[in-house]
């Protein structure tokens, strides 16, 4: 059975954590000229940091894991490697979480070599200290036991993926009720995202051709 330790993060927690992180940055005396959001996870925290620190300039850089065809190992890549001249600027690079740190290290190294800022510091809401290859200059929460944080900005994407994983894992079961799926979801992930998101994810799985709906039941389609 799929068992992934997961924590549901609320919007209120995101505001609280971002405000706390902004306070840590402020206390350090570091005053960024430009905030750079690591896309996509850093977008919301970066925008909130701009608000709390009253920073006008916000740009983003997409650094993400990429599964190469026929390879299990994922590699981090900069998706749109554009160049801007930030020679006179102090940059604050913001991400939601430092897990392995691979995407953040790649973003940092790209910015240092291509944008050449005067200074660059890293901030993240959360830092998973036992697995991270780097420690951010600023963080709000140190996580000591790995969990998947179900952030509000990936609620639909994660829920769709989580349900799909359940269907793959329980491939002998071809017919599910909403209730059975909900119970299995809670068992597997230890959280529930609420009916609105759960129904949205199920609708997405129907649109993607993974499920069919018939007489109020969800039928798993045979994959070819
Ligand atoms: N992105 C990378 N690692 C993550 C984690 N542990 N939780 C949520 N998002 C992540």
């Amino acid at each position: 059975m799929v068992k992934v330790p997961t924590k549901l993060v609320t919007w209120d927690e995101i505001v609280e954590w971002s405000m706390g992180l902004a306070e840590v940055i402020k206390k350090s005396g570091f005053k960024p000229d430009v905030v750079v959001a690591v896309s996509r996870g850093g977008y919301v925290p970066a925008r909130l940091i701009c608000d709390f620190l009253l920073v006008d300039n916000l740009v983003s850089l997409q650094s993400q894991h990429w599964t190469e065809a026929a390879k299990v190992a994922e590699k981090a890549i900069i998706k749109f490697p554009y160049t801007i001249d930030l020679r006179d600027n102090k940059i604050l690079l913001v991400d939601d979480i430092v897990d392995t740190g691979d995407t953040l290290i790649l973003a940092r190294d790209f910015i240092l070599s291509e944008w050449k800022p005067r200074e660059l510091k890293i901030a993240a809401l959360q830092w998973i200290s036992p697995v991270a290859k780097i420690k951010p200059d600023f963080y709000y929460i140190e996580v000591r036991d790995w969990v998947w944080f179900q952030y509000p900005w990936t609620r639909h994407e994660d829920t769709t993926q989580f349900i799909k994983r359940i269907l793959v894992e329980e491939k002998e079961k071809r017919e599910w009720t909403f209730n059975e799926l909900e119970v299995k979801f809670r068992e597997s992930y230890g959280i529930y995202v609420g009916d609105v998101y759960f129904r949205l994810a199920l609708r997405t799985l129907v649109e993607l051709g993974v499920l069919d709906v018939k007489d109020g039941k969800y039928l798993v389609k045979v994959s070819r």
Side-chain angles (χ1 to χ4, degrees):
M1 219 236 310
V2 216
K3 278 260 182 212
V4 183
T6 305
K7 186 205 174 318
L8 189 81
V9 182
T10 66
W11 282 113
D12 281 354
E13 282 173 310
I14 291 304
V15 173
E16 185 195 322
W17 298 355
S18 300
M19 200 181 282
L21 178 59
E23 203 55 39
V24 172
I25 297 161
K26 206 169 160 185
K27 280 203 181 113
S28 79
F30 182 66
K31 291 195 171 72
D33 305 300
V34 182
V35 167
V36 180
V38 179
S39 175
R40 298 173 293 165
Y43 255 104
V44 176
R47 182 61 187 89
L48 290 169
I49 295 287
C50 283
D51 187 30
F52 295 131
L53 295 181
L54 300 177
V55 175
D56 272 347
N57 305 316
L58 172 62
V59 297
S60 73
L61 183 68
Q62 188 152 7
S63 176
Q64 68 178 48
H65 280 118
W66 188 260
T67 312
E68 290 174 85
K71 279 196 181 168
V72 179
E74 288 191 336
K75 210 179 133 204
I77 57 152
I78 300 292
K79 212 156 172 199
F80 305 102
Y82 66 100
T83 301
I84 43 177
D85 186 351
L86 289 180
R87 230 173 311 197
D88 300 324
N89 293 275
K90 286 181 286 173
I91 286 185
L92 181 68
L93 187 60
V94 177
D95 212 343
D96 49 2
I97 189 163
V98 187
D99 191 318
T100 62
D102 289 335
T103 51
L104 198 52
I105 290 167
L106 187 70
R108 178 199 63 191
D109 293 348
F110 176 84
I111 291 169
L112 289 176
S113 74
E114 304 300 315
W115 297 1
K116 300 181 171 56
R118 181 145 69 89
E119 198 177 354
L120 180 149
K121 287 194 184 287
I122 296 174
L125 297 179
Q126 298 180 284
W127 168 49
I128 312 187
S129 54
V131 297
K133 296 183 185 102
I134 51 162
K135 180 180 181 181
D137 300 288
F138 313 110
Y139 59 91
Y140 187 62
I141 293 169
E142 178 179 355
V143 179
R144 293 206 167 78
D145 296 300
W146 190 93
V147 290
W148 182 260
F149 291 94
Q150 206 305 287
Y151 295 120
W153 47 83
T154 53
R155 199 89 86 215
H156 167 240
E157 195 176 303
D158 284 358
T159 306
T160 306
Q161 207 55 46
F162 287 1
I163 298 173
K164 211 168 155 185
R165 242 185 270 170
I166 289 171
L167 299 175
V168 169
E169 187 99 355
E170 308 255 331
K171 54 181 175 296
E172 292 77 29
K173 188 164 166 61
R174 315 297 303 178
E175 213 180 285
W176 296 79
T177 63
F178 180 91
N179 210 256
E180 285 171 340
L181 279 167
E182 189 205 313
V183 167
K184 182 57 83 179
F185 189 94
R186 285 182 196 273
E187 259 176 44
S188 305
Y189 299 100
I191 59 162
Y192 186 54
V193 294
D195 282 356
V196 171
Y197 271 102
F198 207 72
R199 286 196 190 281
L200 178 67
L202 287 171
R203 204 178 79 203
T204 299
L205 288 168
V206 171
E207 285 165 7
L208 290 174
V210 175
L211 290 174
D212 252 341
V213 209
K214 206 174 158 211
D215 303 328
K217 288 205 168 188
Y218 290 94
L219 312 176
V220 183
K221 298 219 318 207
V222 183
S223 53
R224 273 151 287 150

